[in-house]
Amino acid sequence: MRAWTVRGGWDGHREETALETGAAIAGWAEVRHDFSEQSTFDDLCALLDECYPAESPRTRKNWAHQIWRFLHEISVGDYVVMPRKYRDVVAIGQVTGDYEYQADQPPGYRHIRPVKWLRTVERAAISGDLRDSMGTLLTVSELSRRDAAERVKMLAENGTDPGYSGAIAAPDDIDALIADVDAAGSRQLSVRDLLGLWGFGRRTSEALEEVGSTLQRHGLTVRPDFTTVQLDSIVTVVASDPEDTEATSPASGSEAVEATPQDLTWRVGNVRQQMDVVSVKRSDSLHRAIELMVTKRLSQLPIVDDHHRLLGVITWESIAHRSITGAGVELWDARAAQFPPAAHSEQELFSRMEDIRKFGFVIVVDSENVVTGIVTAADLADELEARVTPFMVLEELERRLRHAIYGMSPDLLKSVGKKKAEKPEDLTLGNYSYLFENPAVWKWLGWPFEQAGIVERLRAVARYRNEIAHWNIDAPENEPQKLADARELLDLLKLVTPVTR
């Protein structure tokens, strides 16, 4: 059993006909021939060359692969999902027959697979990773990863997605990523693994420029935008399909604002936050909420519906207010009368800082209002510590190095190669490795360390300083080994420079 997405046109124009007639409809209005008459893939390519001479060879080859799947790879018994374009729902059905060419239908409605439509589910009922996989712009694509077929089956049977929490193996390289997307229409991986394909560990301006331009050049995009989420968040790389101008039309359910490749704005989704959110339902008791808040040490709890969509918030303040006023005893009666509007991961963080200051938190939701995280004042404090600590360590390193060479003669200072190096303040952190290479300088210092080891440590720390000198989306703490190396050098310097100026 396999699962497939067969979309109903870039503007949803085939959706109602598909549901009314019990069919998955492939489109390709210019092909007014029975596809099954093409016995080989090359024959199919030749037919598309004839019908779409103005399109690029790459586009026609892409379409041929999609049509081949529709004809030969989709089997009777497989599941089909059709995201509705202008509705927050997805139709799910099961294939009941082979490909048919219906010559009496209008162009664009002739290529069909019989389908028994089983259920329509709200998009919010589908976990974000599977929902993003359905957001590919290809007309026909397979849902193959993270137990997708079994999850679609469960959605068809009872309207619930059991989800999937296992790790995702990254492609071997950039070419493998492109090949995976070409074959299936989408490929999921973590942001960290995506950057790693280009050799980057953080989202620097250079990383965003190179990754973004390469993806764009190959007609690929990332949902949600990889600049707006955590490094270890799962994103979906999807391909566009130029048929019926779908290449320029957003995928249904993927309306989040995408940052430009050069965008280094600090966004709500970039802050390390509570992602596995504890919540209560409206039907839960107030005692249940209090128990969770005490045992989990929480100051607030989202109140959600059966699909985890945000309905309200309960806080210690709102519970106290209920007790004082003698309001009802139900959990809903104790909800906060005021709480900050929900945030989206792509929003600029500073636009929500006042809410976090005033209320102590903002709840993060996705495009379906499903709760995905909470950013608290404590989370911001942790983020600030992660960003400031490397600079504090480097600042102390530089002060101790400067203290170590006070009293050194100008002649020795000039051995660093800087003509104007007449006092310690003239040196930058990057200069010290060159200065300490000088045997006379090392003798003057009289340190009980190996000269070559200290010089190499200084060079590594100088490189680290250069890497974090400019603002980047991710905190320097995301490269903990380099910070640890800087701390080790600082510990050594503390032994020989006990006092700093």
Side-chain angles (χ1 to χ4, degrees):
M1 181 193 67
R2 300 164 77 177
W4 308 82
T5 295
V6 180
R7 295 169 60 239
W10 70 273
D11 62 350
H13 56 278
R14 296 192 296 266
E15 293 174 4
E16 292 299 334
T17 301
L19 294 173
E20 291 171 2
T21 61
I25 306 174
W28 283 283
E30 297 302 316
V31 182
R32 305 181 185 187
H33 304 273
D34 187 338
F35 277 136
S36 62
E37 295 175 356
Q38 318 307 310
S39 57
T40 68
F41 182 77
D42 288 341
D43 291 338
L44 180 59
C45 290
L47 176 62
L48 293 177
D49 291 345
E50 177 185 337
C51 295
Y52 294 96
E55 299 295 342
S56 69
R58 183 176 183 273
T59 294
R60 295 196 298 264
K61 188 73 169 289
N62 180 285
W63 288 349
H65 282 295
Q66 292 183 62
I67 295 168
W68 193 261
R69 292 177 205 136
F70 191 76
L71 298 176
H72 303 293
E73 295 184 25
I74 297 179
S75 300
V76 174
D78 284 356
Y79 285 91
V80 171
V81 301
M82 182 174 66
R84 301 298 303 273
K85 177 63 181 178
Y86 297 113
R87 301 184 185 182
D88 295 330
V89 296
V90 174
I92 303 176
Q94 199 162 17
V95 179
T96 60
D98 294 330
Y99 164 77
E100 297 178 13
Y101 177 68
Q102 299 184 336
D104 58 333
Q105 296 300 312
Y109 292 78
R110 296 177 177 179
H111 310 291
I112 70 125
R113 293 294 298 265
V115 170
K116 180 181 179 181
W117 295 105
L118 303 171
R119 184 186 294 267
T120 297
V121 300
E122 294 183 75
R123 249 197 291 265
I126 307 171
S127 298
D129 64 320
L130 184 56
R131 196 191 316 148
D132 286 341
S133 290
M134 296 176 183
T136 172
L137 293 182
L138 297 184
T139 300
V140 182
S141 60
E142 184 174 7
L143 301 169
S144 59
R145 298 181 185 274
R146 296 170 70 84
D147 292 342
E150 281 296 325
R151 293 164 64 184
V152 171
K153 179 182 177 182
M154 292 291 290
L155 283 163
E157 292 177 350
N158 56 40
T160 61
D161 176 10
Y164 185 86
S165 58
I168 299 179
D172 292 333
D173 51 35
I174 299 170
D175 290 339
L177 171 66
I178 295 169
D180 285 347
V181 178
D182 283 344
S186 67
R187 178 64 157 94
Q188 291 184 319
L189 70 170
S190 71
V191 174
R192 191 183 301 276
D193 286 338
L194 177 68
L195 296 173
L197 297 179
W198 280 262
F200 295 108
R202 292 192 298 144
R203 287 169 288 192
T204 63
S205 57
E206 180 187 3
L208 299 190
E209 176 67 31
E210 187 169 340
V211 175
S213 61
T214 303
L215 292 172
Q216 184 178 22
R217 190 164 60 251
H218 290 279
L220 305 177
T221 189
V222 182
R223 294 196 172 89
D225 190 279
F226 70 97
T227 67
T228 68
V229 293
Q230 304 287 296
L231 269 175
D232 291 312
S233 295
I234 301 301
V235 294
T236 304
V237 182
V238 299
S240 61
D241 179 3
E243 190 217 353
D244 291 334
T245 68
E246 291 186 50
T248 57
S249 301
S252 181
S254 301
E255 305 300 335
V257 177
E258 293 187 1
T260 62
Q262 296 79 26
D263 192 348
L264 286 171
T265 301
W266 200 7
R267 301 185 182 277
V268 170
N270 301 146
V271 180
R272 285 169 298 177
Q273 57 196 262
Q274 302 168 44
M275 307 293 285
D276 188 13
V277 181
V278 179
S279 62
V280 289
K281 294 183 179 179
R282 179 171 178 170
S283 57
D284 287 336
S285 69
L286 179 56
H287 298 297
R288 169 64 175 162
I290 292 174
E291 176 188 337
L292 285 172
M293 293 174 71
V294 171
T295 57
K296 304 295 184 182
R297 299 183 179 180
L298 302 173
S299 299
Q300 64 284 314
L301 276 178
I303 305 173
V304 300
D305 66 9
D306 289 339
H307 297 319
H308 214 62
R309 288 177 293 202
L310 181 64
L311 299 177
V313 179
I314 187 168
T315 67
W316 286 123
E317 182 179 355
S318 69
I319 293 172
H321 186 268
R322 185 205 64 84
S323 300
I324 294 171
T325 60
V329 297
E330 300 298 327
L331 180 145
W332 191 248
D333 299 323
R335 73 189 186 279
Q338 290 186 325
F339 62 94
H344 294 269
S345 63
E346 67 272 13
Q347 284 184 308
E348 291 188 11
L349 177 64
F350 291 110
S351 70
R352 304 309 307 270
M353 292 286 274
E354 178 59 24
D355 284 332
I356 298 173
R357 184 197 64 79
K358 179 179 179 180
F359 295 94
F361 69 94
V362 292
I363 295 175
V364 185
V365 300
D366 65 13
S367 59
E368 304 301 323
N369 203 39
V370 172
V371 175
T372 61
I374 298 179
V375 178
T376 67
D379 293 324
L380 288 184
D382 290 342
E383 188 75 30
L384 179 63
E385 180 183 7
R387 291 179 178 273
V388 170
T389 297
F391 294 100
M392 293 178 64
V393 171
L394 291 169
E395 172 63 21
E396 185 173 355
L397 264 170
E398 196 159 7
R399 282 192 291 111
R400 288 185 177 275
L401 287 168
R402 191 177 300 126
H403 175 77
I405 62 174
Y406 272 114
M408 184 177 291
S409 69
D411 289 339
L412 282 180
L413 280 175
K414 290 179 180 178
S415 68
V416 75
K418 291 191 65 171
K419 293 181 180 179
K420 296 183 179 180
E422 297 180 352
K423 56 185 183 299
E425 289 79 3
D426 294 333
L427 301 184
T428 65
L429 186 58
N431 297 143
Y432 284 95
S433 62
Y434 298 101
L435 180 65
F436 289 4
E437 276 185 325
N438 186 330
V441 169
W442 189 254
K443 182 179 179 180
W444 184 91
L445 288 169
W447 287 355
F449 309 128
E450 183 181 53
Q451 180 184 14
I454 294 297
V455 168
E456 182 52 41
R457 286 178 183 273
L458 284 167
R459 286 179 175 154
V461 166
R463 289 193 296 269
Y464 181 46
R465 173 66 179 83
N466 291 338
E467 289 172 7
I468 67 172
H470 304 287
W471 170 261
N472 294 308
I473 289 175
D474 302 306
E477 187 270 346
N478 284 307
E479 296 177 334
Q481 187 55 53
K482 294 179 180 179
L483 177 57
D485 293 342
R487 287 184 184 276
E488 286 184 1
L489 178 57
L490 179 58
D491 289 340
L492 293 172
L493 291 180
K494 287 179 178 179
L495 294 176
V496 293
T497 57
V499 179
T500 60
R501 297 184 183 179

